[in-house]
Amino acid sequence: WKGDYENVRDFALGLHNLGFNSDDKLSYIGDNRPEGLYAELAVQCLRGAIVGIYPDSHPDQVEYIINHSDSVFVVAGDQEQADKVLAIPAADLPGLEKIIYIEHRGVDTYDDPRLVSWDDFMEVGRAHREAFPEAVDRRLAEYSALRTLGLTDRQLGVLEALLHLGPLHQHEIGRKLLVSRANVTLIVDQ
């Protein structure tokens, strides 16, 4: 558990050092892996929101989700996922600052100033541990952005929890939230 804590802390410190603020968003595109969990928890520690992108999404869907969510960072699991983001002209992703890639194979040879490897990013976090130790001591974010497929070709944004309520358990989401294309409505059943 100590190693998991240190990975979350160091990733959070790396984000904090690069100016990640509360209410900022980070998109994750890739298969399930420990780094994805570390990124999600680190973002929540900084009161940001994590936005999942299905690994089989097409670049036009990736572009839509990054822009629609206002994501400033993307974590890409491997070359295939990084390529999807890099296939989108930088001008079409105006808010995207960094693409953090986990697997080095194939991506290390790319020349894009937005790219940074997971290992290098974690080094930045470790280097700033002394300066920003409080970054991971903050309470978890009040909400996380999730994505779910709708009946249309666009993925719908769903809020896991709302500001003052704190995180909801997965089994409570269906009971607490009524989701439509236009909004998310809280259902209070107290």
Side-chain angles (χ1 to χ4, degrees):
W1 293 112
K2 181 181 178 194
D4 292 334
Y5 167 79
E6 290 171 350
N7 282 308
V8 171
R9 178 196 60 204
D10 293 346
F11 193 82
L13 291 170
L15 289 173
H16 188 265
N17 182 55
L18 291 180
F20 191 90
N21 296 304
S22 62
D23 297 327
D24 277 348
K25 284 73 168 193
L26 178 145
S27 288
Y28 177 80
I29 181 169
D31 295 323
N32 291 333
R33 58 179 66 223
E35 294 89 348
L37 178 61
Y38 302 149
E40 181 172 348
L41 294 174
V43 165
Q44 290 180 7
C45 287
L46 296 174
R47 293 180 171 235
I50 190 83
V51 180
I53 302 175
Y54 292 113
D56 60 350
S57 295
H58 297 288
D60 61 330
Q61 294 168 314
V62 172
E63 178 182 355
Y64 172 79
I65 293 168
I66 292 170
N67 284 329
H68 185 258
S69 67
D70 297 320
S71 290
V72 292
F73 292 91
V74 169
V75 173
D78 56 23
Q79 180 181 11
E80 178 185 2
Q81 305 310 329
D83 284 348
K84 290 177 188 178
V85 181
L86 293 169
I88 304 162
D92 292 344
L93 296 172
L96 183 61
E97 297 175 18
K98 288 290 178 196
I99 304 163
I100 303 157
Y101 59 93
I102 297 170
E103 287 185 14
H104 293 251
R105 189 173 15 125
V107 185
D108 278 342
T109 61
Y110 293 173
D111 184 28
D112 188 304
R114 299 172 298 170
L115 282 170
V116 61
S117 74
W118 177 271
D119 295 336
D120 289 345
F121 192 82
M122 294 296 279
E123 264 316 305
V124 168
R126 284 188 282 277
H128 289 85
R129 198 178 294 157
E130 293 289 321
F132 305 112
E134 80 287 349
V136 294
D137 292 332
R138 299 177 186 178
R139 62 189 183 114
L140 291 177
E142 286 89 3
Y143 65 90
S144 295
L146 302 177
R147 288 277 158 187
T148 182
L149 286 177
L151 298 177
T152 65
D153 62 340
R154 296 281 189 205
Q155 294 178 355
L156 304 176
V158 179
L159 294 179
E160 180 178 321
L162 301 176
L163 297 172
H164 60 283
L165 297 176
L168 293 174
H169 296 284
Q170 295 255 340
H171 68 277
E172 293 178 299
I173 292 174
R175 290 191 355 224
K176 300 280 185 187
L177 301 176
L178 177 62
V179 181
S180 71
R181 272 189 81 72
N183 61 18
V184 177
T185 305
L186 174 65
I187 301 171
V188 179
D189 60 351
Q190 297 175 338

